[in-house]
Amino acid sequence: MQTSVIKATSLFKTVSTNQEKLTILKGINLEIEAGESVAIVGTSGAGKSTLMTLLAGLDTPTEGDVMLLGNELSKLDDEARAKIRSESVGFVFQSFLLIPSLSALDNVTLPCLLKGESENVERAKQLLDSVGLGHRLHHSPAQLSGGEQQRVALARAFMIEPKILFADEPTGNLDQKTASKVIELLFELNKKHGTTLVLVTHDMSLASKCDRTLTIHAGQVEEQ
Ligand SMILES: Nc1ncnc2c1ncn2[C@@H]1O[C@H](COP(=O)(O)OP(=O)(O)OP(=O)(O)O)[C@@H](O)[C@H]1O
Ligand SMILES: [Mg+2]
């Protein structure tokens, strides 16, 4: 039997600006099974990041509901949603959300502390090394380039071996060699630990490595 780890039903997202109300997502239905790798593609402004934040429970839909790992997100408060995220979900977003006052290494060990586990410094070092940052362990985010910060965010997301990893343009700022290394790491996590991957990308070679590709167009999802 297959188990779906993410299920979205009739998701709508409407936002208000000064001038108008804008409906970004117009009735999204999708289901993602445990261990699947799914690429979300679409033109800039199509609503990919918006959809991802809803699926991850970082924002709430205007209508519709998301089941995440068997939890109906609309029935949970912020605290309960945060608990699911810290225990089972990894994120790599377009804004990297590193803690500015912590070194690269401490940013990577942080999810252990949030989860209430002792920090595994050796593993953090290995992960940073595997994204090519073994020589930048003690730099703060401000002392790292954009692509380096993104790689710290990836290492951090891998740290707890999440059940689901959401990544928004994980290779967007990276050179080709580093990008292929990161892609290798993503799929290693997927194969070894059965981590479900949900990847927003403009990179068609990355999308083609995924089990499925979902295209966001006119506020709806089209499956290829
Ligand atoms: N809070 C908001 N208020 C007003 N408009 C918003 C808001 N959030 C998103 N939008 C608009 O909704 C659209 C979808 O945004 P989103 O960030 O989801 O696009 P995207 O598909 O991730 O694009 P990109 O590939 O450029 O990252 C954009 O046109 C954006 O301007
Ligand atoms: Mg985006």
Side-chain angles (χ1 to χ4, degrees), residues 70-129:
N71 302 282
E72 206 171 325
L73 292 182
S74 65
K75 296 222 167 92
L76 303 178
D77 59 14
D78 287 349
E79 197 181 335
R81 287 204 301 264
K83 185 164 187 285
I84 297 172
R85 286 198 303 269
S86 68
E87 285 178 357
S88 315
V89 180
F91 300 98
V92 184
F93 279 174
Q94 278 176 315
S95 50
F96 314 113
L97 305 176
L98 299 176
I99 310 291
S101 59
L102 296 181
S103 69
L105 186 59
D106 289 343
N107 264 287
V108 175
T109 54
L110 187 66
C112 303
L113 299 177
L114 293 177
K115 210 178 164 182
E117 290 173 357
S118 62
E119 49 188 325
N120 187 340
V121 178
E122 272 323 300
R123 180 169 156 75
K125 282 184 181 163
Q126 270 170 23
L127 284 169
L128 280 164
D129 200 42

Short mmCIF file of all heavy atoms in Angstrom, two decimals, residues 70-129:
data_model
loop_
_atom_site.label_atom_id
_atom_site.label_comp_id
_atom_site.label_asym_id
_atom_site.label_seq_id
_atom_site.Cartn_x
_atom_site.Cartn_y
_atom_site.Cartn_z
N GLY A 70 0.05 12.89 7.44
CA GLY A 70 -1.13 12.43 8.16
C GLY A 70 -1.79 13.46 9.05
O GLY A 70 -2.77 13.17 9.74
N ASN A 71 -1.25 14.69 9.05
CA ASN A 71 -1.84 15.75 9.89
C ASN A 71 -2.60 16.75 9.04
O ASN A 71 -2.05 17.26 8.05
CB ASN A 71 -0.74 16.50 10.63
CG ASN A 71 0.09 15.60 11.50
OD1 ASN A 71 -0.31 15.21 12.58
ND2 ASN A 71 1.26 15.21 11.00
N GLU A 72 -3.83 17.04 9.41
CA GLU A 72 -4.58 18.05 8.69
C GLU A 72 -4.14 19.41 9.22
O GLU A 72 -4.47 19.79 10.34
CB GLU A 72 -6.07 17.82 8.94
CG GLU A 72 -6.94 18.34 7.83
CD GLU A 72 -8.39 17.90 8.00
OE1 GLU A 72 -8.62 16.76 8.47
OE2 GLU A 72 -9.27 18.70 7.69
N LEU A 73 -3.37 20.14 8.40
CA LEU A 73 -2.69 21.34 8.91
C LEU A 73 -3.65 22.41 9.41
O LEU A 73 -3.35 23.12 10.37
CB LEU A 73 -1.77 21.93 7.83
CG LEU A 73 -0.55 21.08 7.47
CD1 LEU A 73 0.30 21.81 6.43
CD2 LEU A 73 0.30 20.75 8.70
N SER A 74 -4.82 22.53 8.78
CA SER A 74 -5.74 23.59 9.19
C SER A 74 -6.29 23.34 10.60
O SER A 74 -6.81 24.25 11.24
CB SER A 74 -6.89 23.71 8.19
OG SER A 74 -7.65 22.51 8.22
N LYS A 75 -6.17 22.11 11.07
CA LYS A 75 -6.69 21.81 12.42
C LYS A 75 -5.63 22.03 13.50
O LYS A 75 -5.90 21.86 14.68
CB LYS A 75 -7.15 20.34 12.47
CG LYS A 75 -8.32 20.04 11.55
CD LYS A 75 -9.33 19.13 12.25
CE LYS A 75 -10.64 19.06 11.48
NZ LYS A 75 -10.65 17.93 10.52
N LEU A 76 -4.42 22.38 13.08
CA LEU A 76 -3.33 22.53 14.05
C LEU A 76 -3.03 24.00 14.29
O LEU A 76 -3.20 24.83 13.40
CB LEU A 76 -2.07 21.85 13.53
CG LEU A 76 -2.17 20.37 13.18
CD1 LEU A 76 -0.84 19.87 12.64
CD2 LEU A 76 -2.59 19.56 14.41
N ASP A 77 -2.54 24.32 15.50
CA ASP A 77 -2.09 25.69 15.73
C ASP A 77 -0.63 25.83 15.30
O ASP A 77 0.01 24.85 14.91
CB ASP A 77 -2.29 26.10 17.20
CG ASP A 77 -1.55 25.18 18.16
OD1 ASP A 77 -0.67 24.42 17.69
OD2 ASP A 77 -1.84 25.22 19.37
N ASP A 78 -0.12 27.05 15.37
CA ASP A 78 1.24 27.34 14.91
C ASP A 78 2.27 26.43 15.58
O ASP A 78 3.20 25.93 14.95
CB ASP A 78 1.62 28.80 15.21
CG ASP A 78 0.90 29.76 14.28
OD1 ASP A 78 0.29 29.28 13.29
OD2 ASP A 78 0.95 30.97 14.55
N GLU A 79 2.06 26.24 16.87
CA GLU A 79 3.03 25.47 17.65
C GLU A 79 3.07 24.00 17.18
O GLU A 79 4.14 23.42 17.00
CB GLU A 79 2.64 25.53 19.13
CG GLU A 79 3.75 25.13 20.07
CD GLU A 79 3.29 25.21 21.53
OE1 GLU A 79 2.35 25.99 21.83
OE2 GLU A 79 3.85 24.47 22.34
N ALA A 80 1.89 23.44 16.97
CA ALA A 80 1.82 22.04 16.52
C ALA A 80 2.42 21.89 15.13
O ALA A 80 3.10 20.91 14.82
CB ALA A 80 0.38 21.56 16.55
N ARG A 81 2.18 22.89 14.27
CA ARG A 81 2.76 22.84 12.93
C ARG A 81 4.29 22.95 13.00
O ARG A 81 5.00 22.26 12.28
CB ARG A 81 2.20 23.96 12.06
CG ARG A 81 0.76 23.72 11.63
CD ARG A 81 0.43 24.47 10.35
NE ARG A 81 0.62 25.90 10.48
CZ ARG A 81 -0.37 26.75 10.77
NH1 ARG A 81 -1.60 26.31 10.92
NH2 ARG A 81 -0.12 28.03 10.88
N ALA A 82 4.76 23.81 13.90
CA ALA A 82 6.21 23.98 14.05
C ALA A 82 6.86 22.69 14.54
O ALA A 82 7.97 22.35 14.14
CB ALA A 82 6.51 25.13 15.02
N LYS A 83 6.14 21.95 15.37
CA LYS A 83 6.68 20.70 15.90
C LYS A 83 6.88 19.68 14.78
O LYS A 83 7.92 19.04 14.68
CB LYS A 83 5.73 20.14 16.97
CG LYS A 83 6.26 18.91 17.68
CD LYS A 83 5.48 18.65 18.97
CE LYS A 83 6.11 17.51 19.77
NZ LYS A 83 5.84 16.19 19.19
N ILE A 84 5.87 19.56 13.92
CA ILE A 84 5.99 18.64 12.77
C ILE A 84 7.18 19.04 11.90
O ILE A 84 7.98 18.21 11.48
CB ILE A 84 4.71 18.66 11.92
CG1 ILE A 84 3.52 18.17 12.75
CG2 ILE A 84 4.87 17.81 10.66
CD1 ILE A 84 2.19 18.33 12.04
N ARG A 85 7.29 20.35 11.67
CA ARG A 85 8.40 20.82 10.82
C ARG A 85 9.75 20.49 11.43
O ARG A 85 10.63 19.98 10.75
CB ARG A 85 8.28 22.33 10.58
CG ARG A 85 7.19 22.70 9.61
CD ARG A 85 7.42 24.12 9.08
NE ARG A 85 7.49 25.11 10.15
CZ ARG A 85 6.44 25.77 10.62
NH1 ARG A 85 5.25 25.57 10.12
NH2 ARG A 85 6.59 26.66 11.58
N SER A 86 9.90 20.78 12.73
CA SER A 86 11.23 20.58 13.31
C SER A 86 11.58 19.10 13.40
O SER A 86 12.75 18.73 13.37
CB SER A 86 11.34 21.27 14.67
OG SER A 86 10.52 20.61 15.60
N GLU A 87 10.58 18.24 13.49
CA GLU A 87 10.87 16.81 13.62
C GLU A 87 11.07 16.12 12.28
O GLU A 87 11.87 15.20 12.16
CB GLU A 87 9.74 16.11 14.38
CG GLU A 87 9.80 16.41 15.86
CD GLU A 87 8.65 15.77 16.63
OE1 GLU A 87 7.77 15.13 16.01
OE2 GLU A 87 8.65 15.92 17.85
N SER A 88 10.33 16.54 11.27
CA SER A 88 10.26 15.70 10.07
C SER A 88 10.49 16.39 8.74
O SER A 88 10.48 15.73 7.70
CB SER A 88 8.88 15.05 9.99
OG SER A 88 8.49 14.54 11.22
N VAL A 89 10.65 17.70 8.75
CA VAL A 89 10.66 18.42 7.48
C VAL A 89 11.93 19.26 7.36
O VAL A 89 12.33 19.94 8.30
CB VAL A 89 9.42 19.33 7.37
CG1 VAL A 89 9.42 20.09 6.06
CG2 VAL A 89 8.14 18.51 7.50
N GLY A 90 12.57 19.19 6.20
CA GLY A 90 13.72 20.04 5.93
C GLY A 90 13.37 21.06 4.86
O GLY A 90 12.53 20.80 4.00
N PHE A 91 13.99 22.23 4.94
CA PHE A 91 13.70 23.31 3.99
C PHE A 91 14.96 23.90 3.42
O PHE A 91 15.91 24.13 4.14
CB PHE A 91 13.04 24.49 4.71
CG PHE A 91 11.77 24.16 5.35
CD1 PHE A 91 11.75 23.90 6.71
CD2 PHE A 91 10.62 24.12 4.63
CE1 PHE A 91 10.56 23.59 7.33
CE2 PHE A 91 9.43 23.81 5.24
CZ PHE A 91 9.40 23.55 6.59
N VAL A 92 14.90 24.20 2.15
CA VAL A 92 15.90 25.09 1.57
C VAL A 92 15.13 26.08 0.73
O VAL A 92 14.54 25.70 -0.28
CB VAL A 92 16.90 24.31 0.69
CG1 VAL A 92 17.98 25.24 0.20
CG2 VAL A 92 17.50 23.15 1.46
N PHE A 93 15.09 27.32 1.17
CA PHE A 93 14.29 28.31 0.49
C PHE A 93 15.13 29.33 -0.25
O PHE A 93 16.33 29.40 -0.06
CB PHE A 93 13.35 29.01 1.48
CG PHE A 93 12.12 28.18 1.74
CD1 PHE A 93 11.20 28.56 2.69
CD2 PHE A 93 11.89 27.01 1.04
CE1 PHE A 93 10.07 27.80 2.93
CE2 PHE A 93 10.76 26.24 1.27
CZ PHE A 93 9.85 26.64 2.22
N GLN A 94 14.44 30.13 -1.08
CA GLN A 94 15.16 31.12 -1.88
C GLN A 94 15.89 32.12 -0.99
O GLN A 94 17.02 32.50 -1.27
CB GLN A 94 14.20 31.83 -2.84
CG GLN A 94 13.94 31.00 -4.10
CD GLN A 94 12.91 31.63 -5.02
OE1 GLN A 94 11.86 32.09 -4.58
NE2 GLN A 94 13.19 31.64 -6.31
N SER A 95 15.25 32.56 0.08
CA SER A 95 16.00 33.32 1.09
C SER A 95 16.48 32.27 2.09
O SER A 95 15.71 31.45 2.56
CB SER A 95 15.11 34.34 1.76
OG SER A 95 13.92 33.71 2.19
N PHE A 96 17.73 32.27 2.38
CA PHE A 96 18.32 31.07 2.97
C PHE A 96 17.96 30.85 4.43
O PHE A 96 18.05 29.76 4.95
CB PHE A 96 19.84 31.10 2.78
CG PHE A 96 20.22 31.48 1.39
CD1 PHE A 96 20.87 32.67 1.13
CD2 PHE A 96 19.87 30.67 0.33
CE1 PHE A 96 21.18 33.04 -0.16
CE2 PHE A 96 20.19 31.03 -0.97
CZ PHE A 96 20.84 32.22 -1.22
N LEU A 97 17.59 31.96 5.09
CA LEU A 97 17.15 31.84 6.48
C LEU A 97 18.19 31.19 7.39
O LEU A 97 17.85 30.37 8.24
CB LEU A 97 15.82 31.06 6.59
CG LEU A 97 14.66 31.60 5.77
CD1 LEU A 97 13.44 30.70 5.88
CD2 LEU A 97 14.28 33.03 6.22
N LEU A 98 19.41 31.55 7.20
CA LEU A 98 20.43 31.13 8.17
C LEU A 98 20.38 32.09 9.35
O LEU A 98 19.94 33.23 9.22
CB LEU A 98 21.82 31.17 7.54
CG LEU A 98 22.03 30.27 6.32
CD1 LEU A 98 23.42 30.48 5.75
CD2 LEU A 98 21.80 28.81 6.69
N ILE A 99 20.84 31.63 10.51
CA ILE A 99 20.90 32.50 11.68
C ILE A 99 22.19 33.32 11.58
O ILE A 99 23.29 32.77 11.59
CB ILE A 99 20.91 31.67 12.99
CG1 ILE A 99 19.78 30.64 13.00
CG2 ILE A 99 20.85 32.59 14.20
CD1 ILE A 99 18.38 31.19 13.10
N PRO A 100 22.05 34.67 11.45
CA PRO A 100 23.21 35.51 11.16
C PRO A 100 24.31 35.45 12.22
O PRO A 100 25.49 35.60 11.89
CB PRO A 100 22.64 36.94 11.10
CG PRO A 100 21.18 36.81 11.18
CD PRO A 100 20.81 35.43 11.57
N SER A 101 23.92 35.22 13.49
CA SER A 101 24.92 35.27 14.56
C SER A 101 25.65 33.95 14.74
O SER A 101 26.59 33.86 15.53
CB SER A 101 24.24 35.66 15.87
OG SER A 101 23.23 34.71 16.16
N LEU A 102 25.25 32.91 14.01
CA LEU A 102 25.89 31.60 14.18
C LEU A 102 26.82 31.30 13.01
O LEU A 102 26.57 31.70 11.89
CB LEU A 102 24.83 30.49 14.26
CG LEU A 102 23.86 30.52 15.44
CD1 LEU A 102 22.90 29.32 15.34
CD2 LEU A 102 24.61 30.49 16.77
N SER A 103 27.88 30.55 13.31
CA SER A 103 28.80 30.12 12.25
C SER A 103 28.09 29.12 11.34
O SER A 103 27.02 28.60 11.68
CB SER A 103 30.02 29.44 12.88
OG SER A 103 29.62 28.21 13.46
N ALA A 104 28.72 28.83 10.20
CA ALA A 104 28.18 27.82 9.28
C ALA A 104 27.94 26.51 10.03
O ALA A 104 26.87 25.91 9.95
CB ALA A 104 29.15 27.62 8.12
N LEU A 105 28.95 26.09 10.78
CA LEU A 105 28.86 24.81 11.51
C LEU A 105 27.69 24.83 12.51
O LEU A 105 26.91 23.87 12.57
CB LEU A 105 30.19 24.55 12.24
CG LEU A 105 30.34 23.20 12.93
CD1 LEU A 105 30.19 22.05 11.94
CD2 LEU A 105 31.69 23.12 13.63
N ASP A 106 27.56 25.92 13.26
CA ASP A 106 26.48 25.99 14.26
C ASP A 106 25.10 26.08 13.60
O ASP A 106 24.11 25.59 14.15
CB ASP A 106 26.70 27.17 15.20
CG ASP A 106 27.88 26.91 16.15
OD1 ASP A 106 28.28 25.74 16.28
OD2 ASP A 106 28.40 27.88 16.73
N ASN A 107 25.04 26.69 12.42
CA ASN A 107 23.77 26.69 11.68
C ASN A 107 23.36 25.28 11.30
O ASN A 107 22.18 24.93 11.31
CB ASN A 107 23.88 27.56 10.43
CG ASN A 107 23.36 28.97 10.64
OD1 ASN A 107 22.15 29.19 10.74
ND2 ASN A 107 24.27 29.93 10.74
N VAL A 108 24.34 24.46 10.96
CA VAL A 108 24.04 23.10 10.52
C VAL A 108 23.65 22.19 11.69
O VAL A 108 22.78 21.33 11.55
CB VAL A 108 25.23 22.51 9.72
CG1 VAL A 108 24.97 21.05 9.35
CG2 VAL A 108 25.46 23.33 8.45
N THR A 109 24.26 22.40 12.85
CA THR A 109 23.91 21.55 14.01
C THR A 109 22.61 22.00 14.68
O THR A 109 22.01 21.24 15.45
CB THR A 109 25.03 21.52 15.07
OG1 THR A 109 25.35 22.84 15.45
CG2 THR A 109 26.26 20.81 14.55
N LEU A 110 22.15 23.20 14.35
CA LEU A 110 20.96 23.75 15.01
C LEU A 110 19.72 22.85 15.00
O LEU A 110 19.05 22.71 16.02
CB LEU A 110 20.64 25.13 14.41
CG LEU A 110 19.53 25.93 15.08
CD1 LEU A 110 19.95 26.32 16.50
CD2 LEU A 110 19.20 27.17 14.27
N PRO A 111 19.39 22.21 13.86
CA PRO A 111 18.17 21.37 13.86
C PRO A 111 18.19 20.27 14.92
O PRO A 111 17.14 19.90 15.43
CB PRO A 111 18.16 20.76 12.45
CG PRO A 111 18.95 21.70 11.62
CD PRO A 111 20.00 22.27 12.52
N CYS A 112 19.38 19.77 15.27
CA CYS A 112 19.47 18.75 16.33
C CYS A 112 18.97 19.34 17.64
O CYS A 112 18.18 18.73 18.37
CB CYS A 112 20.90 18.29 16.56
SG CYS A 112 21.70 17.64 15.12
N LEU A 113 19.46 20.54 17.93
CA LEU A 113 19.07 21.20 19.19
C LEU A 113 17.57 21.46 19.21
O LEU A 113 16.90 21.23 20.21
CB LEU A 113 19.85 22.51 19.38
CG LEU A 113 21.37 22.36 19.45
CD1 LEU A 113 22.04 23.72 19.57
CD2 LEU A 113 21.78 21.47 20.62
N LEU A 114 17.04 21.92 18.07
CA LEU A 114 15.61 22.21 17.99
C LEU A 114 14.79 20.94 18.19
O LEU A 114 13.68 20.96 18.70
CB LEU A 114 15.26 22.83 16.64
CG LEU A 114 15.83 24.23 16.38
CD1 LEU A 114 15.48 24.70 14.99
CD2 LEU A 114 15.33 25.22 17.43
N LYS A 115 15.37 19.83 17.77
CA LYS A 115 14.67 18.55 17.88
C LYS A 115 14.89 17.93 19.26
O LYS A 115 14.31 16.89 19.57
CB LYS A 115 15.23 17.62 16.79
CG LYS A 115 14.25 16.61 16.27
CD LYS A 115 14.88 15.77 15.17
CE LYS A 115 14.06 14.53 14.92
NZ LYS A 115 14.64 13.66 13.90
N GLY A 116 15.76 18.54 20.06
CA GLY A 116 16.05 18.03 21.39
C GLY A 116 17.04 16.88 21.40
O GLY A 116 17.11 16.09 22.32
N GLU A 117 17.86 16.81 20.33
CA GLU A 117 18.90 15.78 20.29
C GLU A 117 20.24 16.44 20.55
O GLU A 117 20.39 17.64 20.37
CB GLU A 117 18.95 15.16 18.88
CG GLU A 117 17.75 14.32 18.54
CD GLU A 117 17.77 13.85 17.08
OE1 GLU A 117 18.68 14.25 16.33
OE2 GLU A 117 16.84 13.10 16.71
N SER A 118 21.24 15.64 20.95
CA SER A 118 22.56 16.24 21.12
C SER A 118 23.12 16.52 19.73
O SER A 118 22.81 15.82 18.76
CB SER A 118 23.48 15.30 21.90
OG SER A 118 23.65 14.12 21.16
N GLU A 119 23.95 17.55 19.63
CA GLU A 119 24.41 17.95 18.30
C GLU A 119 25.54 17.03 17.83
O GLU A 119 26.45 16.73 18.57
CB GLU A 119 24.84 19.41 18.29
CG GLU A 119 25.78 19.79 19.40
CD GLU A 119 25.99 21.30 19.45
OE1 GLU A 119 26.01 21.92 18.40
OE2 GLU A 119 26.17 21.81 20.56
N ASN A 120 25.41 16.59 16.62
CA ASN A 120 26.39 15.69 16.04
C ASN A 120 27.34 16.52 15.17
O ASN A 120 27.12 16.70 13.97
CB ASN A 120 25.66 14.63 15.22
CG ASN A 120 26.58 13.56 14.72
OD1 ASN A 120 27.79 13.75 14.65
ND2 ASN A 120 26.00 12.42 14.37
N VAL A 121 28.39 17.04 15.82
CA VAL A 121 29.30 17.97 15.14
C VAL A 121 30.05 17.28 14.00
O VAL A 121 30.25 17.87 12.94
CB VAL A 121 30.29 18.59 16.15
CG1 VAL A 121 31.26 19.53 15.45
CG2 VAL A 121 29.53 19.35 17.23
N GLU A 122 30.41 16.02 14.21
CA GLU A 122 31.14 15.30 13.16
C GLU A 122 30.31 15.19 11.89
O GLU A 122 30.78 15.41 10.79
CB GLU A 122 31.53 13.90 13.65
CG GLU A 122 32.87 13.85 14.37
CD GLU A 122 33.93 14.79 13.76
OE1 GLU A 122 34.25 14.61 12.56
OE2 GLU A 122 34.40 15.71 14.45
N ARG A 123 29.02 14.84 12.07
CA ARG A 123 28.15 14.72 10.91
C ARG A 123 27.96 16.07 10.22
O ARG A 123 27.96 16.17 8.99
CB ARG A 123 26.80 14.15 11.33
CG ARG A 123 25.85 13.99 10.17
CD ARG A 123 24.61 13.19 10.52
NE ARG A 123 23.54 13.56 9.61
CZ ARG A 123 23.48 13.15 8.35
NH1 ARG A 123 24.39 12.35 7.87
NH2 ARG A 123 22.48 13.53 7.57
N ALA A 124 27.84 17.13 11.02
CA ALA A 124 27.69 18.47 10.45
C ALA A 124 28.91 18.82 9.61
O ALA A 124 28.78 19.37 8.51
CB ALA A 124 27.47 19.49 11.56
N LYS A 125 30.08 18.49 10.14
CA LYS A 125 31.31 18.78 9.39
C LYS A 125 31.35 17.98 8.09
O LYS A 125 31.71 18.51 7.03
CB LYS A 125 32.55 18.41 10.24
CG LYS A 125 32.87 19.44 11.30
CD LYS A 125 34.15 19.06 12.02
CE LYS A 125 34.47 20.05 13.11
NZ LYS A 125 35.45 19.53 14.07
N GLN A 126 30.95 16.72 8.18
CA GLN A 126 30.92 15.87 6.97
C GLN A 126 29.99 16.46 5.92
O GLN A 126 30.30 16.51 4.73
CB GLN A 126 30.39 14.48 7.31
CG GLN A 126 31.45 13.47 7.72
CD GLN A 126 30.80 12.21 8.27
OE1 GLN A 126 29.64 11.91 7.97
NE2 GLN A 126 31.55 11.47 9.08
N LEU A 127 28.80 16.89 6.39
CA LEU A 127 27.82 17.45 5.45
C LEU A 127 28.35 18.72 4.80
O LEU A 127 28.22 18.92 3.59
CB LEU A 127 26.49 17.72 6.16
CG LEU A 127 25.64 16.49 6.44
CD1 LEU A 127 24.49 16.83 7.37
CD2 LEU A 127 25.11 15.90 5.13
N LEU A 128 28.96 19.59 5.60
CA LEU A 128 29.51 20.82 5.04
C LEU A 128 30.63 20.49 4.06
O LEU A 128 30.75 21.12 3.00
CB LEU A 128 30.00 21.75 6.16
CG LEU A 128 28.88 22.52 6.84
CD1 LEU A 128 29.33 23.12 8.16
CD2 LEU A 128 28.37 23.64 5.92
N ASP A 129 31.41 19.49 4.40
CA ASP A 129 32.47 19.06 3.50
C ASP A 129 31.88 18.55 2.18
O ASP A 129 32.37 18.86 1.10
CB ASP A 129 33.29 17.97 4.19
CG ASP A 129 34.65 17.82 3.55
OD1 ASP A 129 35.27 18.86 3.24
OD2 ASP A 129 35.06 16.67 3.32
#
